[in-house]
Amino acid sequence: MSLFTINAQTWKDPNAKIENRVEDLLSKMTLEEKISYCGSRIPEIKRLGIPYFEWYGEALHGIISWNCTQFPQNNAMGSTWNPDLMFDVATAISNEARALKNAGRKEVMMFSPTVNMARDPRWGRNEECYSEDPFHMSEMARMYVRGMQGNDPKYVKTVTTVKHYVANNVDKGREKIHSYINKKDLYEYYFPAYKTCIVDEKATGIMTALNGLNGVPCSADKWLVNDVLRNEWGFKGYVIADWTAVEGIETRMHYAKSQAEAAAMAIKAGVDQECYRNKVKKAPMVYALPQSLEQGLITEEELNITVKRLLRLRFMTGDFDDAKLNPYSNIPKSVLECDAHKNLALKAAEQSIVLLKNENNILPLKKDIKNVAVVGPFADRCWMGIYSGNPQHKVSPLEGIKKAVKGNVTYAEGCSIEEGADDSAKIKEAVALAKKSEYVIVVVGNDETTSTENIDRMSLKLPGNQHELIKAVRKVNKNVILAVVPSGSTSIGWEQQNIPGIVCAWANGQEQGTALANVLFGDVNPGGKLNTTWYQSVKDLPDFHDYKIAGGNRTYMYFDGKPLYPFGYGLSYTDFDIDKVAIDKKKLEANGSVTVSATIKNNGKVDGDEVLQVYIRNAKTGKKAPKKALKGFQRVSVKAGQSTKVEIQIPYEAFTYYNAKKEQYMVKKGTYEILVGNSSENITAVKKVDVKGGIVPKIKVGQKSAFYKFDSKKHGRNWDYLYQNKSEMSSSKKEEKDNSDWVEYEIVFVDPGFYVNTWDAELSFKSATKEAIIETFMAGNSIKSYTILNNQTKLKIKIPIPPEYGQPVRLKIKTRKGEVTHESIKIIPPGDVKPFVISKIIDASK
């Protein structure tokens, strides 16, 4: 009886092997309870004392929640070319995720990172990924996974879910279309970042894409999931299908004849769960699986394999153990948007900014400018990018510039992001300010209205009348600085020819405005480099649906035209020389490595960062080989007038190509060129090495690639290494007294089935005095201020989406100037969800 009791509690024993704990808990679960694990919302099991659990979280560049630090968007992080900084950022994000879990607010199942390749800048979600280059992507993504999952030998800090597997680079109609790709392109271009995250970094999860691959829905593809991911790479984690992708195997892809067959196909392919959360409904996969079992399409043992993988992760997070055993349970709520994290967000934003043009050294600007105009639709907003949370503290470009400049700063919106009826008047206002100013800083770009999930760009031009605004301002003032906040490559050819100073400022997190001002006014010397090729025009690109890479006209590796700005490009306020380039051997044997060394000298008068980039090529391998391929890089800081030596090791593995007939990575014997420079086009030295032909052995989880490096001093520290003292683990910001009148509406948001950062809404007023000013708030966070003109009774606004659907959230509206009597608010959800009006004011100041 005593032995039976011990065995019966194995799943609760933290000292038992995880496999035994999983088996024990599984044996206690009913069939219905097992099936419930195949959706995002998992009901409680009262008799076992297991509470309700939501397997759903977003942490692309910060936790999507209230009062969490928002770091630069992923394409901005890619432009830092600093993987160690990526590790620090991921550590901060995962610390906040754990703090929320410790406070009982959220789980740590995160749907990130996105490692879909930025093969085409038209893709609506291009800003979510780090690079167009598979090696660059891999090195940034690996550090995200490493920082998010932590280094505790027993517990994982957060569960990472690498997405979207695979080749989801068109968003319009993504749930119905297929990506047609040959094996060479898959293994050389689309797979590497996933493999790096899985094999080298032991990522815990994968999300299959909504699209299909070569005629098979990704969530039903046995070859893609079981053969490649699980068997070839040895992946032991969980696989989740993107939003209702299992349902779509039948309803959208017409690949299955019924929902029961679709669910069975997913299970047999190796897919464990379907992403779906609804206040009332279960995931379609959960509804369908009982029928799959009844019809004999799958067995309970096959379902058990799926549930085991999901349970295993819950044990890995420490969900069933005493919190005292888990080091991450000590992370306090105070780290949310704490000083250390905000400082890190600023550092990352500063390192991401790319100086694109600096004619006659117009930059940096002097702080004693008497009059500077700041114009543009992105000037007075801190646009942090898609899949962003809602921090309390955020700085717009206008705010950052006002703090930096000693003189007078004026502002005009200039135009709407998309074409607006009053754009002509707005442009005239901006021109009037430009005429009276010594300098004009124009901040333009595109946001979720023109590029996001479900919305692709069909043009690379700035949307709306933003080009016209730039031209109009430049016509009356020659001292124009252009700051672009893009989702990706943007066609600014006229601007490159006619605007003296241009920076790429990105959707750069909550410290965007401070970082931009620090660069524009010389407190920071920009050192970022572009993570993608910037094209002259959309006409330079192949068909959007053409996924061909090798021999195609895509990315710096195969593009035949002249780019506007090449991959890896970025200027500085100082001049660097790259010389004394050498390699340590002229013949490379199989499984060896060649070390490239170079000296970087800073010839200028200011300190700066340079990125040494190492590419390789074999000119004799034909059109299907890259013109050059990045295989090593390092960002280094060099003080004015000084030099530093850099060494980069290039392993034998870097010279591989994929032989589709032999299904093997191979190295072709021959003489290879090693190209060293500071961009893909600015190559300052070429060295040659004779490489022995051979096969690169296949590796799987438990082994490491030749590119894997672990520095215990950087990556082996405890979770609290980011904080020099306890005061940095909290925010020093103090709340100010506020006596403004206010009202509150209570809103329950419904899930539209895809993510957007903001919803449209319309305020209605019974009355308002002329030029009254109101400010909107959610969860104590300021959203935006609005001026009510000419006794208008309706006002269109944007409201951020809360991280949890189906729960009441209050929108507070404060009156900052004048008097306003509120009547109602109309909520306008995206997609097919009907608008609804809320007339009841739930609370008010008087």
Side-chain angles (χ1 to χ4, degrees):
M1 182 65 70
S2 176
L3 181 63
F4 175 81
T5 302
I6 293 171
N7 288 339
Q9 298 301 318
T10 299
W11 73 277
K12 291 186 177 181
D13 182 2
N15 297 315
K17 290 184 178 180
I18 193 169
E19 292 79 11
N20 295 340
R21 299 181 75 184
V22 169
E23 288 285 356
D24 184 48
L25 179 54
L26 184 73
S27 71
K28 293 173 170 54
M29 295 171 64
T30 66
L31 180 59
E32 183 182 2
E33 289 164 351
K34 292 175 185 177
I35 291 171
S36 71
Y37 262 75
C38 296
S40 297
R41 286 186 162 169
I42 301 168
E44 67 175 335
I45 306 177
K46 281 186 179 180
R47 57 192 173 77
L48 296 177
I50 298 175
Y52 165 85
F53 184 87
E54 184 165 292
W55 197 301
Y56 197 112
E58 301 284 0
L60 185 71
H61 56 108
I63 305 298
I64 294 188
S65 188
W66 303 110
N67 308 333
C68 288
T69 313
Q70 300 303 299
F71 294 89
Q73 183 59 283
N74 281 8
N75 57 356
M77 286 305 304
S79 294
T80 68
W81 289 64
N82 191 341
D84 285 337
L85 180 60
M86 182 76 257
F87 175 81
D88 291 342
V89 166
T91 298
I93 294 172
S94 56
N95 283 356
E96 294 197 5
R98 269 288 167 176
L100 288 171
K101 180 175 176 64
N102 294 339
R105 286 174 52 188
K106 288 184 79 73
E107 297 299 336
V108 290
M109 305 299 179
M110 299 301 169
F111 296 159
S112 48
T114 299
V115 300
N116 295 94
M117 300 304 300
R119 65 167 189 111
D120 193 305
R122 289 170 289 192
W123 182 37
R125 301 179 72 171
N126 224 52
E127 67 182 65
E128 292 184 38
C129 45
Y130 301 111
S131 184
E132 72 176 26
D133 176 85
F135 175 72
H136 186 214
M137 172 75 87
S138 296
E139 292 305 291
M140 297 301 295
R142 77 156 75 239
M143 288 304 188
Y144 177 91
V145 172
R146 192 179 296 185
M148 288 292 288
Q149 294 191 174
N151 55 29
D152 187 79
K154 185 173 183 179
Y155 297 109
V156 66
K157 200 200 299 188
T158 69
V159 169
T160 58
T161 309
V162 189
K163 63 183 187 181
H164 310 81
Y165 185 67
V166 66
N168 174 191
N169 286 120
V170 175
D171 243 59
K172 186 178 181 180
R174 58 188 175 162
E175 67 280 355
K176 298 179 181 179
I177 60 178
H178 288 269
S179 306
Y180 290 92
I181 309 170
N182 61 54
K183 277 193 174 182
K184 179 179 175 64
D185 281 342
L186 281 171
Y187 277 87
E188 290 183 0
Y189 188 75
Y190 295 101
F191 278 170
Y194 294 97
K195 186 179 179 183
T196 294
C197 292
I198 295 301
V199 176
D200 275 0
E201 304 302 329
K202 295 184 179 179
T204 44
I206 285 279
M207 179 183 285
T208 49
L210 281 163
N211 58 282
L213 177 67
N214 298 331
V216 182
C218 289
S219 298
D221 196 328
K222 293 181 182 179
W223 175 80
L224 186 66
V225 182
N226 272 337
D227 292 352
V228 176
L229 185 61
R230 297 200 184 279
N231 297 331
E232 187 178 329
W233 297 347
F235 178 60
K236 297 178 182 178
Y238 90 106
V239 176
I240 185 169
D242 202 348
W243 188 269
T244 68
V246 175
E247 177 187 55
I249 295 171
E250 179 216 357
T251 59
R252 298 184 290 271
M253 291 288 189
H254 307 297
Y255 192 75
K257 296 177 181 178
S258 67
Q259 282 297 289
E261 186 179 16
M265 283 180 173
I267 294 290
K268 286 181 176 293
V271 175
D272 305 313
Q273 202 176 53
E274 183 177 38
C275 177
Y276 183 82
R277 59 174 182 168
N278 183 280
K279 193 176 181 180
V280 178
K281 295 180 181 178
K282 302 172 186 176
M285 187 177 182
V286 173
Y287 282 119
L289 279 172
Q291 302 168 46
S292 304
L293 289 158
E294 289 169 9
Q295 295 172 24
L297 299 175
I298 59 167
T299 65
E300 187 171 353
E301 183 52 41
E302 286 175 308
L303 177 64
N304 285 345
I305 293 171
T306 278
V307 180
K308 284 178 189 179
R309 288 192 284 248
L310 298 168
L311 289 177
R312 178 174 172 267
L313 282 175
R314 292 201 65 179
F315 282 107
M316 288 174 68
T317 61
D319 275 359
F320 304 126
D321 293 350
D322 188 331
K324 294 177 182 178
L325 300 174
N326 190 332
Y328 304 125
S329 66
N330 296 321
I331 301 177
K333 185 180 176 182
S334 65
V335 302
L336 300 179
E337 213 176 336
C338 65
D339 287 348
H341 292 183
K342 286 185 283 190
N343 291 336
L344 182 60
L346 176 60
K347 178 182 178 181
E350 290 169 346
Q351 288 205 12
S352 77
I353 293 175
V354 184
L355 179 60
L356 298 175
K357 184 180 179 183
N358 194 18
E359 186 177 278
N360 298 323
N361 293 323
I362 190 172
L363 292 172
L365 300 172
K366 294 181 180 180
K367 294 182 180 180
D368 59 358
I369 298 173
K370 291 182 180 180
N371 288 290
V372 58
V374 183
V375 305
F378 285 82
D380 193 24
R381 66 182 299 207
C382 182
W383 168 240
M384 296 178 292
I386 55 180
Y387 277 88
S388 293
N390 301 290
Q392 279 195 333
H393 178 80
K394 52 188 176 183
V395 185
S396 70
L398 178 61
E399 290 171 315
I401 292 165
K402 281 184 175 180
K403 289 178 182 177
V405 176
K406 295 177 182 178
N408 184 44
V409 178
T410 54
Y411 161 74
E413 184 184 6
C415 65
S416 303
I417 295 169
E418 294 184 285
E419 187 171 347
D422 55 352
D423 277 356
S424 294
K426 289 180 179 180
I427 290 175
K428 286 181 180 179
E429 182 186 5
V431 168
L433 289 183
K435 287 179 178 178
K436 298 185 290 185
S437 303
E438 294 175 73
Y439 290 86
V440 185
I441 299 171
V442 186
V443 192
V444 295
N446 56 298
D447 65 358
E448 65 182 352
T449 60
T450 56
S451 181
T452 187
E453 189 169 357
N454 283 323
I455 301 175
D456 297 308
R457 290 192 293 165
M458 290 300 101
S459 170
L460 300 186
K461 293 182 178 180
L462 291 167
N465 289 311
Q466 293 182 84
H467 283 289
E468 285 66 28
L469 168 66
I470 297 166
K471 291 176 181 178
V473 168
R474 175 62 182 86
K475 191 173 182 179
V476 299
N477 192 318
K478 65 179 181 179
N479 296 321
V480 176
I481 308 299
L482 179 65
V484 185
V485 181
S487 62
S489 173
T490 305
S491 296
I492 50 171
W494 184 92
E495 288 78 3
Q496 171 61 22
Q497 291 181 357
N498 295 278
I499 303 299
I502 307 175
V503 297
C504 179
W506 305 112
N508 222 351
Q510 67 186 75
E511 299 295 332
Q512 177 192 63
T514 304
L516 178 60
N518 286 347
V519 166
L520 294 181
F521 294 93
D523 290 330
V524 170
N525 185 358
K529 305 283 184 178
L530 292 179
N531 66 332
T532 61
T533 303
W534 282 39
Y535 300 94
Q536 301 274 358
S537 165
V538 73
K539 295 178 181 178
D540 290 336
L541 295 167
D543 184 273
F544 193 16
H545 294 267
D546 182 358
Y547 278 80
K548 182 181 179 182
I549 295 295
N553 196 30
R554 288 193 186 280
T555 78
Y556 78 95
M557 294 184 287
Y558 294 99
F559 182 53
D560 288 326
K562 181 173 176 55
L564 179 64
Y565 306 114
F567 173 80
Y569 170 84
L571 303 175
S572 172
Y573 293 156
T574 189
D575 294 316
F576 293 102
D577 277 341
I578 299 174
D579 59 10
K580 298 181 181 178
V581 176
I583 56 176
D584 68 341
K585 56 177 66 77
K586 293 192 176 181
K587 291 187 177 180
L588 179 60
E589 298 295 322
N591 301 320
S593 64
V594 56
T595 299
V596 181
S597 60
T599 298
I600 300 178
K601 183 178 181 182
N602 184 342
N603 295 316
K605 296 181 180 180
V606 294
D607 302 346
D609 287 7
E610 181 60 290
V611 179
L612 189 71
Q613 302 169 36
V614 180
Y615 300 82
I616 67 170
R617 73 177 172 204
N618 184 343
K620 295 183 179 180
T621 52
K623 289 185 177 180
K624 289 193 176 181
K627 296 178 179 180
K628 59 178 79 74
L630 182 73
K631 296 299 176 182
F633 62 89
Q634 187 173 333
R635 181 169 180 149
V636 292
S637 298
V638 188
K639 291 188 177 297
Q642 295 187 13
S643 300
T644 189
K645 185 178 180 180
V646 180
E647 290 187 345
I648 296 176
Q649 193 177 69
I650 307 297
Y652 183 73
E653 192 175 312
F655 297 86
T656 58
Y657 74 99
Y658 186 76
N659 188 315
K661 290 183 179 179
K662 296 184 178 181
E663 297 187 338
Q664 182 67 58
Y665 285 107
M666 303 183 71
V667 174
K668 186 170 288 188
K669 177 184 177 181
T671 300
Y672 289 76
E673 293 177 334
I674 295 178
L675 304 91
V676 180
N678 66 355
S679 84
S680 59
E681 288 203 347
N682 189 31
I683 303 301
T684 58
V686 179
K687 300 294 178 181
K688 294 184 178 180
V689 60
D690 292 326
V691 181
K692 184 177 182 179
I695 294 174
V696 174
K698 294 180 180 179
I699 61 171
K700 56 174 57 180
V701 174
Q703 301 168 293
K704 301 294 182 186
S705 75
F707 289 105
Y708 178 83
K709 295 180 181 65
F710 185 87
D711 185 336
S712 60
K713 293 181 180 179
K714 292 180 179 178
H715 312 134
R717 295 173 287 180
N718 294 333
W719 65 266
D720 58 356
Y721 78 89
L722 289 172
Y723 318 103
Q724 294 182 5
N725 51 60
K726 286 189 176 181
S727 66
E728 285 195 338
M729 293 176 66
S730 59
S731 176
S732 58
K733 184 182 178 183
K734 297 180 181 179
E735 290 188 17
E736 299 178 0
K737 290 185 178 180
D738 189 350
N739 296 319
S740 302
D741 290 336
W742 54 267
V743 299
E744 282 185 335
Y745 291 106
E746 191 168 84
I747 307 166
V748 176
F749 291 90
V750 293
D751 199 330
F754 58 92
Y755 185 82
V756 293
N757 276 70
T758 58
W759 284 10
D760 291 320
E762 186 177 77
L763 291 173
S764 293
F765 312 111
K766 292 179 181 177
S767 63
T769 55
K770 186 177 181 181
E771 295 188 353
I773 297 175
I774 61 171
E775 186 175 3
T776 54
F777 292 79
M778 264 190 176
N781 296 354
S782 173
I783 304 168
K784 188 175 175 60
S785 293
Y786 299 89
T787 301
I788 303 171
L789 299 174
N790 302 322
N791 297 316
Q792 68 187 101
T793 57
K794 295 184 183 297
L795 177 68
K796 291 181 178 179
I797 66 170
K798 292 276 189 180
I799 49 179
I801 297 311
E804 291 85 24
Y805 293 110
Q807 297 182 14
V809 181
R810 291 193 176 188
L811 176 73
K812 178 175 280 189
I813 307 164
K814 294 184 179 181
T815 302
R816 296 304 196 190
K817 178 184 175 182
E819 294 183 4
V820 179
T821 304
H822 294 267
E823 183 173 37
S824 64
I825 181 171
K826 182 179 182 181
I827 307 298
I828 308 169
D832 298 326
V833 182
K834 291 183 179 179
F836 54 95
V837 176
I838 301 169
S839 300
K840 183 179 179 181
I841 294 174
I842 198 76
D843 201 359
S845 58
K846 60 181 180 180

